Amino acid sequence: MTGIVFGNNASLLLFNESDYGTRGTGTSANNGHKLLFTTENLKISRQSFDSQTISGDRERMKPVRGNINVSGQIAIEFSPENPLLLLYYAIGQWTATGTAAPYTHTFTTGSKLPSFQAEVNFGADAPTGQQYHLFTGLKVNTFSLQVPNNGNITASFDCIGQNSLMSDTGIDAHPATTTAFNRFSSFEANIYLDGATTPSGIVESFSINVANELDESIYPIRSDGLRAELPIS
């Protein structure tokens, strides 16, 4: 392992959680959904607190560790297959109908949001112990869909999470090597305004923004500094 990694070698798997911060058990729980993405910057951070005690010298006293936070954004180009799980995570409920393509996917809000895990594989050139970065207890705080009149349709998902772990071994030993990717074009879209039955010809571009306003303050007193939940505030 050289220790130098390149973004074009990275891959990203998503896993459902059965409880907040916990993946389910059994084979199906370890089968990841391969997500094709343009950028991701998930990261872990931890607070520290310096002492305010006057000690009589200029030596810095040992800081006290604070709470752990995970945050970052996953960005994608929109396609029929790729964003379904992320939309489910961002909105809350998902149903699919139909026996053959094109299927109808319906997303509706629920009283709470599902949590998930994201595993980033940086490839075999990553430093020892750091090839796989697993982020747990993730929920989508904000979601944005951008539809221009010319160019790619893009979406971004700003996430907040509980913890991050690094390893040389991935969760899914045999992830799918290919994922269908037939991205949408603005030329395939029609916009209907105010209940009209014919497409509008006046909209040049539009965006959709969803804010879930997650409560990031749920940190009980515990030995690991991890948040206990991420409810909708």
Side-chain angles (χ1 to χ4, degrees):
M1 299 184 180
T2 65
I4 301 175
V5 297
F6 300 92
N8 61 300
N9 292 329
S11 60
L12 178 60
L13 296 180
L14 303 179
F15 301 85
N16 294 329
E17 289 189 337
S18 56
D19 296 299
Y20 184 71
T22 304
R23 194 172 60 258
T25 59
T27 302
S28 61
N30 293 330
N31 289 338
H33 170 80
K34 186 175 183 179
L35 180 76
L36 302 179
F37 63 101
T38 55
T39 61
E40 70 82 21
N41 59 5
L42 296 171
K43 61 185 181 296
I44 186 171
S45 60
R46 185 164 200 167
Q47 294 176 295
S48 65
F49 298 91
D50 287 328
S51 174
Q52 303 302 309
T53 300
I54 298 175
S55 61
D57 56 37
R58 297 174 60 194
E59 297 295 327
R60 182 183 181 186
M61 301 181 71
K62 181 180 179 179
V64 174
R65 293 184 301 170
N67 292 328
I68 290 174
N69 183 49
V70 169
S71 62
Q73 183 184 92
I74 300 173
I76 65 171
E77 292 177 340
F78 223 64
S79 70
E81 311 88 359
N82 202 39
L84 295 177
L85 261 184
L86 283 176
L87 289 174
Y88 163 61
Y89 297 145
I91 299 175
Q93 296 182 359
W94 169 28
T95 58
T97 57
T99 57
Y103 301 97
T104 298
H105 298 275
T106 303
F107 297 90
T108 55
T109 57
S111 59
K112 62 180 182 179
L113 291 175
S115 63
F116 66 101
Q117 300 185 0
E119 183 183 70
V120 185
N121 178 2
F122 288 102
D125 289 331
T128 300
Q130 301 181 36
Q131 178 173 346
Y132 295 90
H133 288 215
L134 177 66
F135 298 91
T136 64
L138 292 170
K139 290 189 178 183
V140 175
N141 192 34
T142 61
F143 155 62
S144 175
L145 174 67
Q146 305 291 331
V147 183
N149 63 358
N150 188 34
N152 292 319
I153 299 175
T154 60
S156 60
F157 300 80
D158 290 292
C159 303
I160 303 171
Q162 183 191 59
N163 200 9
S164 177
L165 305 168
M166 292 186 294
S167 174
D168 277 334
T169 305
I171 296 172
D172 191 344
H174 303 286
T177 55
T178 58
T179 299
F181 186 60
N182 303 292
R183 68 185 191 272
F184 284 121
S185 163
S186 297
F187 299 116
E188 299 174 286
N190 287 317
I191 298 178
Y192 300 86
L193 300 178
D194 299 322
T197 57
T198 56
S200 168
I202 61 174
V203 178
E204 293 185 350
S205 63
F206 72 91
S207 63
I208 297 174
N209 298 286
V210 175
N212 288 317
E213 298 183 348
L214 297 176
D215 184 352
E216 303 179 47
S217 66
I218 311 300
Y219 283 98
I221 297 176
R222 52 193 285 180
S223 62
D224 54 16
L226 300 179
R227 59 167 42 98
E229 244 299 356
L230 267 172
I232 298 173
S233 60

PDB file of all heavy atoms in Angstrom, residues 14 22-23 27 87 99 107 121 132 155 158 162 177 182 192 205 214 222 226 233:
ATOM      1  N   LEU A  14     -24.040   1.580   0.510  1.00  0.00           N
ATOM      2  CA  LEU A  14     -25.020   1.992   1.518  1.00  0.00           C
ATOM      3  C   LEU A  14     -25.653   0.764   2.155  1.00  0.00           C
ATOM      4  O   LEU A  14     -25.951  -0.215   1.472  1.00  0.00           O
ATOM      5  CB  LEU A  14     -26.105   2.866   0.885  1.00  0.00           C
ATOM      6  CG  LEU A  14     -25.657   4.134   0.153  1.00  0.00           C
ATOM      7  CD1 LEU A  14     -26.864   4.856  -0.437  1.00  0.00           C
ATOM      8  CD2 LEU A  14     -24.870   5.060   1.073  1.00  0.00           C
ATOM      9  N   THR A  22     -26.988   0.864  14.376  1.00  0.00           N
ATOM     10  CA  THR A  22     -26.776  -0.585  14.359  1.00  0.00           C
ATOM     11  C   THR A  22     -27.297  -1.180  13.065  1.00  0.00           C
ATOM     12  O   THR A  22     -28.466  -0.981  12.706  1.00  0.00           O
ATOM     13  CB  THR A  22     -27.496  -1.266  15.541  1.00  0.00           C
ATOM     14  OG1 THR A  22     -27.051  -0.681  16.763  1.00  0.00           O
ATOM     15  CG2 THR A  22     -27.222  -2.754  15.559  1.00  0.00           C
ATOM     16  N   ARG A  23     -26.432  -1.906  12.360  1.00  0.00           N
ATOM     17  CA  ARG A  23     -26.859  -2.624  11.170  1.00  0.00           C
ATOM     18  C   ARG A  23     -27.525  -3.921  11.603  1.00  0.00           C
ATOM     19  O   ARG A  23     -27.195  -4.500  12.630  1.00  0.00           O
ATOM     20  CB  ARG A  23     -25.642  -2.909  10.286  1.00  0.00           C
ATOM     21  CG  ARG A  23     -25.965  -3.358   8.867  1.00  0.00           C
ATOM     22  CD  ARG A  23     -24.699  -3.436   8.017  1.00  0.00           C
ATOM     23  NE  ARG A  23     -23.718  -4.368   8.543  1.00  0.00           N
ATOM     24  CZ  ARG A  23     -22.635  -4.008   9.226  1.00  0.00           C
ATOM     25  NH1 ARG A  23     -22.403  -2.730   9.463  1.00  0.00           N
ATOM     26  NH2 ARG A  23     -21.785  -4.902   9.678  1.00  0.00           N
ATOM     27  N   THR A  27     -27.265 -12.278   6.385  1.00  0.00           N
ATOM     28  CA  THR A  27     -26.615 -12.003   5.105  1.00  0.00           C
ATOM     29  C   THR A  27     -27.165 -10.756   4.434  1.00  0.00           C
ATOM     30  O   THR A  27     -26.422  -9.930   3.898  1.00  0.00           O
ATOM     31  CB  THR A  27     -26.774 -13.211   4.166  1.00  0.00           C
ATOM     32  OG1 THR A  27     -26.215 -14.366   4.786  1.00  0.00           O
ATOM     33  CG2 THR A  27     -26.062 -12.959   2.842  1.00  0.00           C
ATOM     34  N   LEU A  87     -33.191   8.871  -1.662  1.00  0.00           N
ATOM     35  CA  LEU A  87     -34.483   9.558  -1.557  1.00  0.00           C
ATOM     36  C   LEU A  87     -35.310   8.981  -0.407  1.00  0.00           C
ATOM     37  O   LEU A  87     -35.982   9.712   0.324  1.00  0.00           O
ATOM     38  CB  LEU A  87     -35.244   9.441  -2.878  1.00  0.00           C
ATOM     39  CG  LEU A  87     -34.691  10.252  -4.049  1.00  0.00           C
ATOM     40  CD1 LEU A  87     -35.460   9.927  -5.326  1.00  0.00           C
ATOM     41  CD2 LEU A  87     -34.768  11.752  -3.756  1.00  0.00           C
ATOM     42  N   THR A  99     -44.976  -4.118 -12.611  1.00  0.00           N
ATOM     43  CA  THR A  99     -44.364  -5.438 -12.805  1.00  0.00           C
ATOM     44  C   THR A  99     -43.206  -5.403 -13.789  1.00  0.00           C
ATOM     45  O   THR A  99     -42.481  -6.380 -13.922  1.00  0.00           O
ATOM     46  CB  THR A  99     -45.417  -6.440 -13.296  1.00  0.00           C
ATOM     47  OG1 THR A  99     -46.004  -5.947 -14.516  1.00  0.00           O
ATOM     48  CG2 THR A  99     -46.518  -6.622 -12.251  1.00  0.00           C
ATOM     49  N   PHE A 107     -42.647   8.520  -2.964  1.00  0.00           N
ATOM     50  CA  PHE A 107     -41.975   8.844  -1.706  1.00  0.00           C
ATOM     51  C   PHE A 107     -42.868   9.771  -0.895  1.00  0.00           C
ATOM     52  O   PHE A 107     -43.345  10.781  -1.401  1.00  0.00           O
ATOM     53  CB  PHE A 107     -40.627   9.516  -1.973  1.00  0.00           C
ATOM     54  CG  PHE A 107     -39.651   8.633  -2.711  1.00  0.00           C
ATOM     55  CD1 PHE A 107     -39.612   8.626  -4.101  1.00  0.00           C
ATOM     56  CD2 PHE A 107     -38.784   7.806  -2.026  1.00  0.00           C
ATOM     57  CE1 PHE A 107     -38.717   7.816  -4.785  1.00  0.00           C
ATOM     58  CE2 PHE A 107     -37.890   6.983  -2.702  1.00  0.00           C
ATOM     59  CZ  PHE A 107     -37.863   6.989  -4.079  1.00  0.00           C
ATOM     60  N   ASN A 121     -14.787   2.859   0.115  1.00  0.00           N
ATOM     61  CA  ASN A 121     -13.607   2.029  -0.161  1.00  0.00           C
ATOM     62  C   ASN A 121     -12.632   2.876  -0.976  1.00  0.00           C
ATOM     63  O   ASN A 121     -12.911   3.238  -2.120  1.00  0.00           O
ATOM     64  CB  ASN A 121     -14.019   0.779  -0.928  1.00  0.00           C
ATOM     65  CG  ASN A 121     -12.846  -0.107  -1.298  1.00  0.00           C
ATOM     66  OD1 ASN A 121     -11.698   0.179  -0.946  1.00  0.00           O
ATOM     67  ND2 ASN A 121     -13.117  -1.183  -2.021  1.00  0.00           N
ATOM     68  N   TYR A 132     -11.096   1.024   4.151  1.00  0.00           N
ATOM     69  CA  TYR A 132     -12.549   1.168   4.263  1.00  0.00           C
ATOM     70  C   TYR A 132     -12.880   2.130   5.402  1.00  0.00           C
ATOM     71  O   TYR A 132     -12.431   1.937   6.536  1.00  0.00           O
ATOM     72  CB  TYR A 132     -13.215  -0.186   4.521  1.00  0.00           C
ATOM     73  CG  TYR A 132     -13.064  -1.175   3.385  1.00  0.00           C
ATOM     74  CD1 TYR A 132     -11.980  -2.049   3.340  1.00  0.00           C
ATOM     75  CD2 TYR A 132     -14.010  -1.232   2.361  1.00  0.00           C
ATOM     76  CE1 TYR A 132     -11.842  -2.960   2.300  1.00  0.00           C
ATOM     77  CE2 TYR A 132     -13.868  -2.131   1.321  1.00  0.00           C
ATOM     78  CZ  TYR A 132     -12.781  -2.991   1.291  1.00  0.00           C
ATOM     79  OH  TYR A 132     -12.654  -3.885   0.261  1.00  0.00           O
ATOM     80  N   ALA A 155     -28.165  16.085  -7.614  1.00  0.00           N
ATOM     81  CA  ALA A 155     -28.774  16.092  -6.292  1.00  0.00           C
ATOM     82  C   ALA A 155     -27.676  16.004  -5.246  1.00  0.00           C
ATOM     83  O   ALA A 155     -26.632  15.382  -5.470  1.00  0.00           O
ATOM     84  CB  ALA A 155     -29.755  14.932  -6.135  1.00  0.00           C
ATOM     85  N   ASP A 158     -27.057  16.242   2.367  1.00  0.00           N
ATOM     86  CA  ASP A 158     -26.231  16.608   3.510  1.00  0.00           C
ATOM     87  C   ASP A 158     -26.611  15.721   4.691  1.00  0.00           C
ATOM     88  O   ASP A 158     -27.778  15.715   5.116  1.00  0.00           O
ATOM     89  CB  ASP A 158     -26.408  18.080   3.855  1.00  0.00           C
ATOM     90  CG  ASP A 158     -25.801  18.990   2.805  1.00  0.00           C
ATOM     91  OD1 ASP A 158     -24.565  19.002   2.680  1.00  0.00           O
ATOM     92  OD2 ASP A 158     -26.569  19.670   2.094  1.00  0.00           O
ATOM     93  N   GLN A 162     -23.345   9.318  13.479  1.00  0.00           N
ATOM     94  CA  GLN A 162     -22.981   8.988  14.858  1.00  0.00           C
ATOM     95  C   GLN A 162     -21.497   8.690  15.036  1.00  0.00           C
ATOM     96  O   GLN A 162     -20.866   9.177  15.970  1.00  0.00           O
ATOM     97  CB  GLN A 162     -23.798   7.779  15.329  1.00  0.00           C
ATOM     98  CG  GLN A 162     -23.548   7.379  16.780  1.00  0.00           C
ATOM     99  CD  GLN A 162     -24.158   6.033  17.118  1.00  0.00           C
ATOM    100  OE1 GLN A 162     -23.839   5.019  16.509  1.00  0.00           O
ATOM    101  NE2 GLN A 162     -25.069   6.027  18.092  1.00  0.00           N
ATOM    102  N   THR A 177     -20.543  -5.418  -8.946  1.00  0.00           N
ATOM    103  CA  THR A 177     -19.474  -4.751  -9.688  1.00  0.00           C
ATOM    104  C   THR A 177     -20.016  -3.737 -10.684  1.00  0.00           C
ATOM    105  O   THR A 177     -19.295  -2.855 -11.125  1.00  0.00           O
ATOM    106  CB  THR A 177     -18.623  -5.785 -10.450  1.00  0.00           C
ATOM    107  OG1 THR A 177     -19.484  -6.568 -11.290  1.00  0.00           O
ATOM    108  CG2 THR A 177     -17.919  -6.705  -9.470  1.00  0.00           C
ATOM    109  N   ASN A 182     -28.379   5.204 -16.132  1.00  0.00           N
ATOM    110  CA  ASN A 182     -28.903   5.873 -17.324  1.00  0.00           C
ATOM    111  C   ASN A 182     -29.468   7.215 -16.875  1.00  0.00           C
ATOM    112  O   ASN A 182     -30.665   7.349 -16.640  1.00  0.00           O
ATOM    113  CB  ASN A 182     -29.989   5.021 -17.984  1.00  0.00           C
ATOM    114  CG  ASN A 182     -29.485   3.635 -18.350  1.00  0.00           C
ATOM    115  OD1 ASN A 182     -28.656   3.482 -19.237  1.00  0.00           O
ATOM    116  ND2 ASN A 182     -29.968   2.624 -17.646  1.00  0.00           N
ATOM    117  N   TYR A 192     -45.947  20.375 -15.000  1.00  0.00           N
ATOM    118  CA  TYR A 192     -47.369  20.727 -15.054  1.00  0.00           C
ATOM    119  C   TYR A 192     -47.667  21.665 -13.888  1.00  0.00           C
ATOM    120  O   TYR A 192     -47.410  21.339 -12.731  1.00  0.00           O
ATOM    121  CB  TYR A 192     -48.238  19.478 -14.964  1.00  0.00           C
ATOM    122  CG  TYR A 192     -47.997  18.491 -16.092  1.00  0.00           C
ATOM    123  CD1 TYR A 192     -46.986  17.531 -15.995  1.00  0.00           C
ATOM    124  CD2 TYR A 192     -48.767  18.523 -17.249  1.00  0.00           C
ATOM    125  CE1 TYR A 192     -46.751  16.630 -17.024  1.00  0.00           C
ATOM    126  CE2 TYR A 192     -48.552  17.628 -18.288  1.00  0.00           C
ATOM    127  CZ  TYR A 192     -47.536  16.684 -18.170  1.00  0.00           C
ATOM    128  OH  TYR A 192     -47.302  15.795 -19.183  1.00  0.00           O
ATOM    129  N   SER A 205     -35.832  26.469 -15.411  1.00  0.00           N
ATOM    130  CA  SER A 205     -35.106  25.587 -14.503  1.00  0.00           C
ATOM    131  C   SER A 205     -35.825  25.609 -13.156  1.00  0.00           C
ATOM    132  O   SER A 205     -36.622  26.510 -12.893  1.00  0.00           O
ATOM    133  CB  SER A 205     -33.645  26.038 -14.334  1.00  0.00           C
ATOM    134  OG  SER A 205     -33.596  27.318 -13.736  1.00  0.00           O
ATOM    135  N   LEU A 214     -33.019  18.037  11.639  1.00  0.00           N
ATOM    136  CA  LEU A 214     -32.710  17.022  12.639  1.00  0.00           C
ATOM    137  C   LEU A 214     -32.196  17.670  13.921  1.00  0.00           C
ATOM    138  O   LEU A 214     -31.482  18.669  13.897  1.00  0.00           O
ATOM    139  CB  LEU A 214     -31.654  16.063  12.089  1.00  0.00           C
ATOM    140  CG  LEU A 214     -32.058  15.247  10.860  1.00  0.00           C
ATOM    141  CD1 LEU A 214     -30.876  14.420  10.370  1.00  0.00           C
ATOM    142  CD2 LEU A 214     -33.240  14.339  11.158  1.00  0.00           C
ATOM    143  N   ARG A 222     -22.272   9.331  28.518  1.00  0.00           N
ATOM    144  CA  ARG A 222     -21.823   7.972  28.274  1.00  0.00           C
ATOM    145  C   ARG A 222     -20.331   7.992  27.988  1.00  0.00           C
ATOM    146  O   ARG A 222     -19.748   9.051  27.782  1.00  0.00           O
ATOM    147  CB  ARG A 222     -22.602   7.333  27.114  1.00  0.00           C
ATOM    148  CG  ARG A 222     -22.630   8.165  25.860  1.00  0.00           C
ATOM    149  CD  ARG A 222     -23.648   7.683  24.835  1.00  0.00           C
ATOM    150  NE  ARG A 222     -23.199   6.466  24.157  1.00  0.00           N
ATOM    151  CZ  ARG A 222     -23.936   5.857  23.208  1.00  0.00           C
ATOM    152  NH1 ARG A 222     -25.140   6.337  22.886  1.00  0.00           N
ATOM    153  NH2 ARG A 222     -23.481   4.771  22.610  1.00  0.00           N
ATOM    154  N   LEU A 226     -20.785   9.386  21.868  1.00  0.00           N
ATOM    155  CA  LEU A 226     -21.617   9.238  20.681  1.00  0.00           C
ATOM    156  C   LEU A 226     -23.030   9.761  20.932  1.00  0.00           C
ATOM    157  O   LEU A 226     -23.565   9.646  22.040  1.00  0.00           O
ATOM    158  CB  LEU A 226     -21.687   7.765  20.262  1.00  0.00           C
ATOM    159  CG  LEU A 226     -20.374   7.079  19.911  1.00  0.00           C
ATOM    160  CD1 LEU A 226     -20.625   5.621  19.538  1.00  0.00           C
ATOM    161  CD2 LEU A 226     -19.657   7.796  18.777  1.00  0.00           C
ATOM    162  N   SER A 233     -36.668  17.458  14.575  1.00  0.00           N
ATOM    163  CA  SER A 233     -36.988  18.415  15.631  1.00  0.00           C
ATOM    164  C   SER A 233     -38.360  19.043  15.400  1.00  0.00           C
ATOM    165  O   SER A 233     -38.937  18.950  14.336  1.00  0.00           O
ATOM    166  CB  SER A 233     -35.919  19.501  15.684  1.00  0.00           C
ATOM    167  OG  SER A 233     -35.826  20.194  14.466  1.00  0.00           O
TER     168      SER A 233
END
